[in-house]
Amino acid sequence: MLGAFGASPLMVPAAVVPAGTLLAADQDIVRNNGSEPASLEPHKVESDVEFNIISDFFEGLVSVDNDGKIRPRLAERWDNDHNTRWVFHLRPGLTWSNGDPITAQDVVFSWRRLVNPVTASPYASNLSNMQVLNAQDIVDGKKSPDELGIKALDAETVEVTLVKPVSYFLQMLAHPALVPVDKSVIDQFGDKWTQPGNIVSSGAYKLDQWVVNEKVVGIRNHRYWDNAHTVINKVTYLPVTSGTADVNRYRAGEIDITYTIPETLFKSLKKEIGPEVHISPKLAVYYYEFNTQKAPFNDPRVRLALNLGLDKSIIAEKVLGQGQMPAWTLSHYAAGGYNLKMPDYAGWSQDKRNQKAKALLKAAGFDAQHPLTFSLLYNTSESHQRIAIAASSMWKKNLGVVATLQNQEWKTMLDTMHTGNFDLVRYAWIADYDEPSTFLNNFLSNSSENTAKFVNADYDQAIHAASAATPANAGRFYQQAEAILAQQVPAIPVYYYVSSKLVKPWIGGFNESALSYYYTKDLYVKKH
């Protein structure tokens, strides 16, 4: 029996300007995006740096609002049959920014392209994790992309078939990797399709300029289906990596919303311009990821020792000090409301952890005469540098370990990770949806995001069992998975994030979600 799911288009969030608010004549904003985007190709990227822009330029079938509610976007409504057959009905008259129609076939093409091994998408495993029929076999090269469990019933209707129900399917569906892209433009321009003059988009904005290492500029897409509720006319994204430069340009009036707030300036800014300091919860974990296939980090004793030897409380509370918390799990402690238990050693004193770590290193063949040495890689950032210096100092003091620091620009570091040319690398995961699996799926043996190259059959089994379980029963399997990670340590969880930004007082509608998104279409500039 088909049951109707979805919402009226009237419930779709957009810029809501309170009655009596005077708007500025120029509805233009500048937001710092933290780094130069690796690409604007939805199937080729994996971080907020790119997805912040892509989410303004492209629409998915649905979105998730700040209250966790599913909202209709390109899909006006949807039905499902036993949570395994989903039918999405597109809004009538949808067009790309060039005026061509957006059809159900565009959705089918895009999903097939995502899982096609030729595309080599970091998010190729996403549709498999959503249990879409044949997705994993396609990623593994065992079946053709046209066998994926998705088809166009007509120009405005998409059918998706799942192997089994997934309670958070609609949350996963909202991810930017699943937005439709235009086949005709890709066929015409190939790898150059995302360049200015070539790209077509479906969201509130379209690409106007892209000056590498200087700015990306989006302008209003007047063909956007909800353009009537958009206020901002132009948005400029800056790739400023320095937190200090970010704040200085904010103070000079060149930036309206910063990417973050440097820890060294946080207290003074809070005191001086407190109302402009915005701190919000963030479902994200900062961690150091091992290359588990490279000696000596193929030995879990070495990995666990470095985890134990890191004084995370000092990093969270002293080095950072904006509300971050020391992390001992690789999924966020609050994800999905499961509140998973920390490993026993999280409750030990640092001295006890250090003693255990030294014993583990000695058993693995490392001591004062034969110290462990390795390279710690991080992407260029004052904050990442400060944390890396603190971590290397702790390992040296607590364990006699020598960590050589190395930094690379964001795009270069991502390439280094995916080629496996590292010892230990700084990384982080921001939840794609509010559920532990968004973090834990990354360490599955066959995950396209498993850059640690971690392989553990018991771990895979626990995650697959959680996926098959009801939400009420999934927690015990997630707990089993976290227990394995706590001993095997493919990555060292360092801290649980908060989001910190400076926002000009004349920017209205700013409301960052726990998934770290805020959308330009929801903003407006007040007269000032």
Side-chain angles (χ1 to χ4, degrees):
M1 178 179 178
L2 293 176
F5 281 71
S8 159
L10 295 177
M11 295 177 65
V12 174
V16 179
V17 182
T21 301
L22 296 178
L23 295 177
D26 292 328
Q27 290 295 317
D28 302 344
I29 66 164
V30 179
R31 46 188 286 186
N32 183 27
N33 202 39
S35 293
E36 174 68 17
S39 171
L40 293 182
E41 151 74 270
H43 296 156
K44 300 282 188 171
V45 299
E46 55 188 310
S47 83
D48 60 334
V49 171
E50 295 80 26
F51 287 139
N52 288 338
I53 302 174
I54 288 169
S55 294
D56 276 350
F57 288 3
F58 292 89
E59 286 265 38
L61 295 176
V62 303
S63 67
V64 181
D65 69 14
N66 283 15
D67 296 323
K69 295 179 180 177
I70 307 298
R71 301 298 191 187
R73 303 309 299 171
L74 294 183
E76 185 176 50
R77 58 189 175 85
W78 50 91
D79 315 303
N80 87 76
D81 186 4
H82 296 94
N83 293 318
T84 56
R85 176 180 174 268
W86 292 81
V87 179
F88 296 90
H89 306 273
L90 302 185
R91 297 174 185 277
L94 290 172
T95 68
W96 296 103
S97 54
N98 65 357
D100 291 344
I102 299 173
T103 68
Q105 190 56 47
D106 289 322
V107 182
V108 174
F109 163 76
S110 302
W111 286 27
R112 288 175 175 173
R113 184 172 183 264
L114 176 64
V115 295
N116 192 329
V118 173
T119 305
S121 173
Y123 268 86
S125 296
N126 219 39
L127 291 176
S128 173
N129 295 334
M130 293 166 69
Q131 300 299 325
V132 176
L133 181 67
N134 293 331
Q136 190 60 52
D137 282 344
I138 297 167
V139 171
D140 293 340
K142 298 176 181 177
K143 290 188 176 180
S144 167
D146 59 14
E147 296 180 79
L148 186 66
I150 184 173
K151 62 182 177 180
L153 301 183
D154 57 42
E156 295 181 353
T157 312
V158 179
E159 180 189 69
V160 178
T161 302
L162 307 186
V163 176
K164 57 187 177 184
V166 177
S167 61
Y168 42 91
F169 171 75
L170 289 175
Q171 286 194 59
M172 296 187 75
L173 185 63
H175 193 270
L178 297 176
V179 299
V181 293
D182 187 348
K183 181 178 185 297
S184 63
V185 172
I186 295 172
D187 287 345
Q188 182 178 358
F189 298 108
D191 291 341
K192 304 287 188 183
W193 80 269
T194 57
Q195 295 301 307
N198 299 346
I199 189 172
V200 300
S201 55
S202 57
Y205 299 90
K206 59 184 180 180
L207 181 62
D208 182 54
Q209 298 179 61
W210 186 356
V211 183
V212 174
N213 291 323
E214 183 180 329
K215 62 183 178 181
V216 173
V217 179
I219 57 174
R220 188 100 161 252
N221 173 18
H222 291 283
R223 291 192 170 97
Y224 174 52
W225 68 268
D226 198 29
N227 180 57
H229 294 109
T230 305
V231 178
I232 298 297
N233 292 318
K234 183 173 81 170
V235 53
T236 301
Y237 312 85
L238 301 181
V240 180
T241 59
S242 165
T244 302
D246 194 2
V247 170
N248 288 342
R249 293 182 68 172
Y250 176 88
R251 285 181 172 279
E254 298 174 13
I255 290 175
D256 296 305
I257 305 172
T258 65
Y259 182 69
T260 187
I261 301 175
E263 300 82 21
T264 53
L265 300 176
F266 180 73
K267 288 183 179 178
S268 62
L269 290 168
K270 186 83 171 170
K271 182 177 180 180
E272 185 181 346
I273 51 173
E276 297 174 43
V277 174
H278 288 249
I279 303 294
S280 54
K282 187 172 182 177
L283 284 173
V285 182
Y286 189 108
Y287 56 83
Y288 287 136
E289 182 175 281
F290 291 103
N291 182 344
T292 65
Q293 299 300 305
K294 183 177 181 181
F297 299 126
N298 57 347
D299 187 337
R301 295 173 299 183
V302 176
R303 304 195 299 257
L304 178 55
L306 290 181
N307 187 23
L308 295 173
L310 197 61
D311 194 332
K312 302 171 186 183
S313 294
I314 289 178
I315 291 175
E317 297 163 14
K318 304 297 184 183
V319 178
L320 300 171
Q322 299 174 338
Q324 294 89 345
M325 295 172 56
W328 293 100
T329 58
L330 285 168
S331 64
H332 192 280
Y333 69 92
Y338 284 97
N339 295 311
L340 301 179
K341 294 178 182 177
M342 303 289 173
D344 289 344
Y345 54 68
W348 296 356
S349 68
Q350 188 58 47
D351 183 63
K352 182 177 179 180
R353 286 195 287 261
N354 292 344
Q355 294 306 314
K356 176 64 174 177
K358 289 176 183 177
L360 288 167
L361 287 176
K362 187 173 182 61
F366 298 100
D367 53 25
Q369 288 69 45
H370 182 215
L372 172 64
T373 62
F374 62 91
S375 174
L376 173 59
L377 174 63
Y378 61 92
N379 58 296
T380 304
S381 156
E382 294 161 355
S383 179
H384 299 329
Q385 182 184 43
R386 292 179 74 242
I387 296 168
I389 290 171
S392 63
S393 176
M394 290 172 187
W395 283 323
K396 178 67 174 176
K397 177 184 176 183
N398 295 344
L399 307 179
V401 166
V402 179
T404 303
L405 304 188
Q406 177 188 10
N407 73 291
Q408 295 177 343
E409 294 302 316
W410 176 242
K411 292 190 289 186
T412 306
M413 192 193 81
L414 290 177
D415 288 341
T416 300
M417 286 178 61
H418 284 283
T419 55
N421 188 26
F422 68 93
D423 295 332
L424 187 63
V425 61
R426 171 266 154 192
Y427 203 49
W429 195 259
I430 303 169
D432 293 329
Y433 49 96
D434 187 3
E435 220 270 346
S437 61
T438 186
F439 299 94
L440 301 178
N441 285 341
N442 293 337
F443 298 98
L444 285 168
S445 302
N446 59 5
S447 171
S448 54
E449 282 288 355
N450 185 5
T451 45
K453 304 292 191 293
F454 177 64
V455 178
N456 185 284
D458 291 337
Y459 180 82
D460 292 350
Q461 184 177 357
I463 296 299
H464 292 319
S467 175
T470 63
N473 293 324
R476 66 187 182 97
F477 298 112
Y478 289 138
Q479 191 68 66
Q480 290 174 15
E482 281 287 9
I484 293 170
L485 294 180
Q487 294 304 314
Q488 294 293 311
V489 198
I492 299 172
V494 180
Y495 67 86
Y496 305 116
Y497 275 79
V498 293
S499 178
S500 61
K501 287 179 170 56
L502 294 175
V503 182
K504 291 294 186 183
W506 51 80
I507 300 297
F510 179 83
N511 187 13
E512 190 171 16
S513 75
L515 303 184
S516 194
Y517 288 118
Y518 67 94
Y519 304 99
T520 303
K521 67 179 175 56
D522 297 336
L523 305 178
Y524 54 92
V525 182
K526 294 177 278 189
K527 188 175 181 179
H528 58 281

